[in-house]
Every structure is written in C-alpha cells, then in structure tokens.
Amino acid sequence: MLKISKQSDYGLLLLSYLKGKKDYSPLSELTDKIHLPKRFLAKIAYFLKANGFLESFEGKTGGYKLTKNFHKKTLYDYLKIFEPSLNIASCEKTNYQCPWEDYCQHSNFLKNKLKKIFVKELKNYKLIDVI
C-alpha cells in the first residue's frame, strides 16, 4: 500500500522551503532550521535535480532553487521519483501470494480501476499548489 517515505516527505519540505526564494539556498539553511540530516537531504536534492525539479549552483553563493518549469510538475511526477510503485493494495506487489485469492472479489477493482483513478487524480494536482 502507498505510504509516503521519508524521502518524499523531506523532499516536500525542501521544495516548500525553496518555493518563495529567488536566489540559490544552501541545504545548510534548511537543515539548521528544521534539523533534517544533511547527507540524506543532499541525496534527495540530487534526485530532484536529476528529475528537473531543482537547479543547483556550486560555490560560496551556491545552493538549490526551483527550476523555471517547476510550476508544470504534478504530484504524480514528484511521487514517481521516490515512490515508483504507487501501489494502493498489497496484491499489486510482484510475486505477492494472496491467501484469499480464490475468494477475493475486489482485487481486480483495486488493481485496475481504483489505481487508474488514483493516478489520474495525482496527475491533476500541480506540485506548486501542494507545497
């Protein structure tokens, strides 16, 4: 089932922090304010940069800021970075052996219809509106 990971959660905190900033902000500013682990946050920032959410600049005045096209990114685009499966039911997992497979009447609905609805809704929300 979908459970937001620490990476997703901390990444949203990072993006929220950078939302109103025009200049590059070092990660140390954020880690000092809300006490997040710097190495873990640096790893998250790396993935966000690699996926077009952040740009970076090295040096004394360097750091991270949101990309120019950040406003086009959806919640789905974001979650796919850290939550690649987006499973909403245990039976969606590869090689999952359901003990009630012979009796279950709702598995098909969960794996096909509800999953499509869920993904469609995630694609409707712009990330900028979430943070």
Side-chain angles (χ1 to χ4, degrees):
M1 289 222 230
L2 178 66
K3 179 181 174 186
I4 302 297
S5 66
K6 281 187 180 182
Q7 282 184 314
S8 290
D9 195 18
Y10 290 2
L12 289 172
L13 288 170
L14 172 60
L15 296 174
S16 296
Y17 180 76
L18 296 174
K19 182 179 178 182
K21 303 209 179 264
K22 303 257 186 250
D23 296 326
Y24 292 95
S25 298
L27 290 180
S28 59
E29 279 182 16
L30 182 59
T31 57
D32 290 346
K33 277 192 175 181
I34 56 177
H35 310 290
L36 294 176
K38 190 172 183 176
R39 284 187 182 190
F40 192 44
L41 197 57
K43 180 180 175 183
I44 293 166
Y46 169 82
F47 284 113
L48 291 172
K49 181 182 177 210
N51 285 278
F53 287 76
L54 296 178
E55 57 183 71
S56 66
F57 182 75
E58 291 187 30
K60 189 175 181 178
T61 59
Y64 292 91
K65 69 178 182 177
L66 303 179
T67 59
K68 288 178 176 56
N69 67 347
F70 180 82
H71 66 282
K72 295 179 183 178
K73 301 289 188 180
T74 66
L75 186 54
Y76 176 80
D77 297 330
Y78 176 79
L79 288 175
K80 288 298 285 181
I81 297 170
F82 303 112
E83 317 295 338
S85 66
L86 292 177
N87 289 339
I88 58 173
S90 296
C91 58
E92 288 184 85
K93 295 177 183 173
T94 306
N95 299 323
Y96 178 77
Q97 297 295 315
C98 180
W100 304 284
E101 187 174 5
D102 294 340
Y103 308 103
C104 181
Q105 300 297 312
H106 60 275
S107 174
N108 188 44
F109 174 79
L110 292 175
K111 291 191 285 187
N112 297 312
K113 291 185 181 185
L114 188 58
K115 174 82 175 244
K116 287 178 185 173
I117 292 167
F118 179 61
V119 168
K120 182 180 176 188
E121 283 301 307
L122 290 175
K123 289 179 179 180
N124 284 333
Y125 285 95
K126 297 292 183 198
L127 188 57
I128 195 77
D129 296 329
V130 174
I131 60 168

PDB file of all heavy atoms in Angstrom, residues 2 6 11 18 38 41 44-46 61 65 67 70 76 97-98 106 111 113 130:
ATOM      1  N   LEU A   2       0.352   2.292  -0.540  1.00  0.00           N
ATOM      2  CA  LEU A   2       1.115   3.530  -0.619  1.00  0.00           C
ATOM      3  C   LEU A   2       1.269   4.146   0.761  1.00  0.00           C
ATOM      4  O   LEU A   2       0.302   4.364   1.472  1.00  0.00           O
ATOM      5  CB  LEU A   2       0.427   4.535  -1.548  1.00  0.00           C
ATOM      6  CG  LEU A   2       1.130   5.887  -1.661  1.00  0.00           C
ATOM      7  CD1 LEU A   2       2.489   5.720  -2.331  1.00  0.00           C
ATOM      8  CD2 LEU A   2       0.292   6.872  -2.435  1.00  0.00           C
ATOM      9  N   LYS A   6      10.109   8.701   3.914  1.00  0.00           N
ATOM     10  CA  LYS A   6      10.799   9.869   4.463  1.00  0.00           C
ATOM     11  C   LYS A   6      11.395  10.711   3.336  1.00  0.00           C
ATOM     12  O   LYS A   6      11.425  11.926   3.421  1.00  0.00           O
ATOM     13  CB  LYS A   6      11.904   9.446   5.432  1.00  0.00           C
ATOM     14  CG  LYS A   6      11.407   9.074   6.786  1.00  0.00           C
ATOM     15  CD  LYS A   6      12.571   8.828   7.736  1.00  0.00           C
ATOM     16  CE  LYS A   6      12.041   8.464   9.095  1.00  0.00           C
ATOM     17  NZ  LYS A   6      13.129   8.266  10.051  1.00  0.00           N
ATOM     18  N   GLY A  11      11.581  15.672   0.922  1.00  0.00           N
ATOM     19  CA  GLY A  11      11.654  16.380  -0.352  1.00  0.00           C
ATOM     20  C   GLY A  11      10.601  17.465  -0.447  1.00  0.00           C
ATOM     21  O   GLY A  11      10.866  18.560  -0.950  1.00  0.00           O
ATOM     22  N   LEU A  18      12.036  26.162  -0.572  1.00  0.00           N
ATOM     23  CA  LEU A  18      12.578  26.882  -1.726  1.00  0.00           C
ATOM     24  C   LEU A  18      11.504  27.627  -2.529  1.00  0.00           C
ATOM     25  O   LEU A  18      11.842  28.457  -3.364  1.00  0.00           O
ATOM     26  CB  LEU A  18      13.300  25.898  -2.655  1.00  0.00           C
ATOM     27  CG  LEU A  18      14.535  25.215  -2.079  1.00  0.00           C
ATOM     28  CD1 LEU A  18      15.059  24.161  -3.041  1.00  0.00           C
ATOM     29  CD2 LEU A  18      15.614  26.239  -1.750  1.00  0.00           C
ATOM     30  N   LYS A  38      21.669  16.288   6.901  1.00  0.00           N
ATOM     31  CA  LYS A  38      22.200  16.966   5.704  1.00  0.00           C
ATOM     32  C   LYS A  38      22.526  15.995   4.574  1.00  0.00           C
ATOM     33  O   LYS A  38      22.203  16.260   3.417  1.00  0.00           O
ATOM     34  CB  LYS A  38      23.422  17.793   6.064  1.00  0.00           C
ATOM     35  CG  LYS A  38      23.856  18.699   4.930  1.00  0.00           C
ATOM     36  CD  LYS A  38      24.936  19.660   5.343  1.00  0.00           C
ATOM     37  CE  LYS A  38      25.267  20.590   4.193  1.00  0.00           C
ATOM     38  NZ  LYS A  38      26.239  21.596   4.564  1.00  0.00           N
ATOM     39  N   LEU A  41      19.306  14.776   2.989  1.00  0.00           N
ATOM     40  CA  LEU A  41      18.696  15.857   2.224  1.00  0.00           C
ATOM     41  C   LEU A  41      19.479  16.123   0.938  1.00  0.00           C
ATOM     42  O   LEU A  41      18.887  16.409  -0.103  1.00  0.00           O
ATOM     43  CB  LEU A  41      18.617  17.117   3.081  1.00  0.00           C
ATOM     44  CG  LEU A  41      17.664  18.197   2.594  1.00  0.00           C
ATOM     45  CD1 LEU A  41      16.249  17.665   2.461  1.00  0.00           C
ATOM     46  CD2 LEU A  41      17.692  19.394   3.522  1.00  0.00           C
ATOM     47  N   ILE A  44      18.385  13.568  -1.554  1.00  0.00           N
ATOM     48  CA  ILE A  44      17.065  13.920  -2.069  1.00  0.00           C
ATOM     49  C   ILE A  44      17.179  15.046  -3.093  1.00  0.00           C
ATOM     50  O   ILE A  44      16.577  14.988  -4.167  1.00  0.00           O
ATOM     51  CB  ILE A  44      16.138  14.314  -0.899  1.00  0.00           C
ATOM     52  CG1 ILE A  44      15.850  13.089  -0.021  1.00  0.00           C
ATOM     53  CG2 ILE A  44      14.846  14.936  -1.407  1.00  0.00           C
ATOM     54  CD1 ILE A  44      15.231  13.402   1.318  1.00  0.00           C
ATOM     55  N   ALA A  45      17.972  16.056  -2.767  1.00  0.00           N
ATOM     56  CA  ALA A  45      18.175  17.185  -3.691  1.00  0.00           C
ATOM     57  C   ALA A  45      18.788  16.712  -4.996  1.00  0.00           C
ATOM     58  O   ALA A  45      18.418  17.188  -6.083  1.00  0.00           O
ATOM     59  CB  ALA A  45      19.054  18.247  -3.033  1.00  0.00           C
ATOM     60  N   TYR A  46      19.693  15.757  -4.923  1.00  0.00           N
ATOM     61  CA  TYR A  46      20.303  15.191  -6.129  1.00  0.00           C
ATOM     62  C   TYR A  46      19.232  14.587  -7.041  1.00  0.00           C
ATOM     63  O   TYR A  46      19.217  14.832  -8.245  1.00  0.00           O
ATOM     64  CB  TYR A  46      21.339  14.139  -5.733  1.00  0.00           C
ATOM     65  CG  TYR A  46      21.825  13.324  -6.906  1.00  0.00           C
ATOM     66  CD1 TYR A  46      22.817  13.814  -7.750  1.00  0.00           C
ATOM     67  CD2 TYR A  46      21.271  12.080  -7.201  1.00  0.00           C
ATOM     68  CE1 TYR A  46      23.251  13.084  -8.843  1.00  0.00           C
ATOM     69  CE2 TYR A  46      21.697  11.343  -8.290  1.00  0.00           C
ATOM     70  CZ  TYR A  46      22.678  11.846  -9.109  1.00  0.00           C
ATOM     71  OH  TYR A  46      23.095  11.123 -10.200  1.00  0.00           O
ATOM     72  N   THR A  61      28.151  31.223  -2.918  1.00  0.00           N
ATOM     73  CA  THR A  61      26.771  31.723  -3.009  1.00  0.00           C
ATOM     74  C   THR A  61      25.849  30.684  -3.644  1.00  0.00           C
ATOM     75  O   THR A  61      24.744  31.015  -4.083  1.00  0.00           O
ATOM     76  CB  THR A  61      26.714  33.025  -3.836  1.00  0.00           C
ATOM     77  OG1 THR A  61      27.226  32.763  -5.153  1.00  0.00           O
ATOM     78  CG2 THR A  61      27.495  34.132  -3.167  1.00  0.00           C
ATOM     79  N   LYS A  65      17.654  25.915  -6.100  1.00  0.00           N
ATOM     80  CA  LYS A  65      16.413  26.664  -6.262  1.00  0.00           C
ATOM     81  C   LYS A  65      15.523  25.885  -7.232  1.00  0.00           C
ATOM     82  O   LYS A  65      15.979  24.980  -7.940  1.00  0.00           O
ATOM     83  CB  LYS A  65      16.663  28.088  -6.752  1.00  0.00           C
ATOM     84  CG  LYS A  65      17.167  28.228  -8.177  1.00  0.00           C
ATOM     85  CD  LYS A  65      17.307  29.710  -8.508  1.00  0.00           C
ATOM     86  CE  LYS A  65      17.762  29.923  -9.940  1.00  0.00           C
ATOM     87  NZ  LYS A  65      17.829  31.352 -10.281  1.00  0.00           N
ATOM     88  N   THR A  67      13.353  24.958 -10.468  1.00  0.00           N
ATOM     89  CA  THR A  67      13.569  25.208 -11.900  1.00  0.00           C
ATOM     90  C   THR A  67      12.485  26.146 -12.427  1.00  0.00           C
ATOM     91  O   THR A  67      11.434  26.320 -11.804  1.00  0.00           O
ATOM     92  CB  THR A  67      13.526  23.897 -12.703  1.00  0.00           C
ATOM     93  OG1 THR A  67      12.267  23.276 -12.502  1.00  0.00           O
ATOM     94  CG2 THR A  67      14.659  22.964 -12.312  1.00  0.00           C
ATOM     95  N   PHE A  70       9.144  24.404 -12.913  1.00  0.00           N
ATOM     96  CA  PHE A  70       8.645  23.680 -11.747  1.00  0.00           C
ATOM     97  C   PHE A  70       7.118  23.734 -11.663  1.00  0.00           C
ATOM     98  O   PHE A  70       6.480  22.762 -11.267  1.00  0.00           O
ATOM     99  CB  PHE A  70       9.268  24.267 -10.465  1.00  0.00           C
ATOM    100  CG  PHE A  70       8.805  23.574  -9.216  1.00  0.00           C
ATOM    101  CD1 PHE A  70       9.390  22.384  -8.816  1.00  0.00           C
ATOM    102  CD2 PHE A  70       7.788  24.109  -8.447  1.00  0.00           C
ATOM    103  CE1 PHE A  70       8.965  21.736  -7.675  1.00  0.00           C
ATOM    104  CE2 PHE A  70       7.358  23.464  -7.318  1.00  0.00           C
ATOM    105  CZ  PHE A  70       7.945  22.273  -6.922  1.00  0.00           C
ATOM    106  N   TYR A  76       1.997  13.613  -9.201  1.00  0.00           N
ATOM    107  CA  TYR A  76       2.367  12.308  -9.750  1.00  0.00           C
ATOM    108  C   TYR A  76       3.838  12.301 -10.174  1.00  0.00           C
ATOM    109  O   TYR A  76       4.574  11.374  -9.851  1.00  0.00           O
ATOM    110  CB  TYR A  76       1.468  11.965 -10.936  1.00  0.00           C
ATOM    111  CG  TYR A  76       1.850  10.677 -11.630  1.00  0.00           C
ATOM    112  CD1 TYR A  76       1.465   9.448 -11.108  1.00  0.00           C
ATOM    113  CD2 TYR A  76       2.587  10.686 -12.814  1.00  0.00           C
ATOM    114  CE1 TYR A  76       1.814   8.266 -11.728  1.00  0.00           C
ATOM    115  CE2 TYR A  76       2.945   9.513 -13.440  1.00  0.00           C
ATOM    116  CZ  TYR A  76       2.548   8.301 -12.894  1.00  0.00           C
ATOM    117  OH  TYR A  76       2.908   7.132 -13.516  1.00  0.00           O
ATOM    118  N   GLN A  97       1.609 -13.468  -2.909  1.00  0.00           N
ATOM    119  CA  GLN A  97       0.742 -14.650  -2.830  1.00  0.00           C
ATOM    120  C   GLN A  97      -0.387 -14.347  -1.852  1.00  0.00           C
ATOM    121  O   GLN A  97      -0.198 -14.391  -0.640  1.00  0.00           O
ATOM    122  CB  GLN A  97       1.541 -15.872  -2.367  1.00  0.00           C
ATOM    123  CG  GLN A  97       2.639 -16.287  -3.315  1.00  0.00           C
ATOM    124  CD  GLN A  97       2.071 -16.773  -4.646  1.00  0.00           C
ATOM    125  OE1 GLN A  97       1.117 -17.528  -4.680  1.00  0.00           O
ATOM    126  NE2 GLN A  97       2.666 -16.324  -5.729  1.00  0.00           N
ATOM    127  N   CYS A  98      -1.538 -14.044  -2.376  1.00  0.00           N
ATOM    128  CA  CYS A  98      -2.678 -13.711  -1.526  1.00  0.00           C
ATOM    129  C   CYS A  98      -3.312 -14.990  -0.968  1.00  0.00           C
ATOM    130  O   CYS A  98      -3.666 -15.889  -1.734  1.00  0.00           O
ATOM    131  CB  CYS A  98      -3.717 -12.936  -2.327  1.00  0.00           C
ATOM    132  SG  CYS A  98      -5.169 -12.493  -1.363  1.00  0.00           S
ATOM    133  N   HIS A 106     -12.628  -8.268  -4.920  1.00  0.00           N
ATOM    134  CA  HIS A 106     -12.313  -6.850  -5.114  1.00  0.00           C
ATOM    135  C   HIS A 106     -10.899  -6.581  -5.644  1.00  0.00           C
ATOM    136  O   HIS A 106     -10.564  -5.448  -5.951  1.00  0.00           O
ATOM    137  CB  HIS A 106     -12.514  -6.080  -3.801  1.00  0.00           C
ATOM    138  CG  HIS A 106     -11.663  -6.573  -2.677  1.00  0.00           C
ATOM    139  ND1 HIS A 106     -12.036  -7.628  -1.884  1.00  0.00           N
ATOM    140  CD2 HIS A 106     -10.460  -6.158  -2.223  1.00  0.00           C
ATOM    141  CE1 HIS A 106     -11.102  -7.834  -0.978  1.00  0.00           C
ATOM    142  NE2 HIS A 106     -10.130  -6.965  -1.168  1.00  0.00           N
ATOM    143  N   LYS A 111      -6.727  -3.150  -8.249  1.00  0.00           N
ATOM    144  CA  LYS A 111      -5.524  -3.117  -9.091  1.00  0.00           C
ATOM    145  C   LYS A 111      -5.737  -2.380 -10.401  1.00  0.00           C
ATOM    146  O   LYS A 111      -4.784  -1.832 -10.950  1.00  0.00           O
ATOM    147  CB  LYS A 111      -5.039  -4.541  -9.378  1.00  0.00           C
ATOM    148  CG  LYS A 111      -4.476  -5.234  -8.158  1.00  0.00           C
ATOM    149  CD  LYS A 111      -3.755  -6.517  -8.501  1.00  0.00           C
ATOM    150  CE  LYS A 111      -4.712  -7.621  -8.846  1.00  0.00           C
ATOM    151  NZ  LYS A 111      -4.054  -8.924  -9.025  1.00  0.00           N
ATOM    152  N   LYS A 113      -9.143  -0.490 -11.715  1.00  0.00           N
ATOM    153  CA  LYS A 113      -9.967   0.721 -11.740  1.00  0.00           C
ATOM    154  C   LYS A 113      -9.536   1.756 -10.712  1.00  0.00           C
ATOM    155  O   LYS A 113      -9.329   2.920 -11.050  1.00  0.00           O
ATOM    156  CB  LYS A 113     -11.436   0.362 -11.551  1.00  0.00           C
ATOM    157  CG  LYS A 113     -11.990  -0.378 -12.742  1.00  0.00           C
ATOM    158  CD  LYS A 113     -13.461  -0.626 -12.599  1.00  0.00           C
ATOM    159  CE  LYS A 113     -13.935  -1.398 -13.834  1.00  0.00           C
ATOM    160  NZ  LYS A 113     -15.360  -1.571 -13.841  1.00  0.00           N
ATOM    161  N   VAL A 130       0.494  22.124  -3.983  1.00  0.00           N
ATOM    162  CA  VAL A 130       0.563  21.236  -2.822  1.00  0.00           C
ATOM    163  C   VAL A 130       1.513  21.816  -1.768  1.00  0.00           C
ATOM    164  O   VAL A 130       1.251  21.748  -0.575  1.00  0.00           O
ATOM    165  CB  VAL A 130       1.009  19.832  -3.236  1.00  0.00           C
ATOM    166  CG1 VAL A 130       1.239  18.929  -2.020  1.00  0.00           C
ATOM    167  CG2 VAL A 130      -0.003  19.207  -4.175  1.00  0.00           C
TER     168      VAL A 130
END
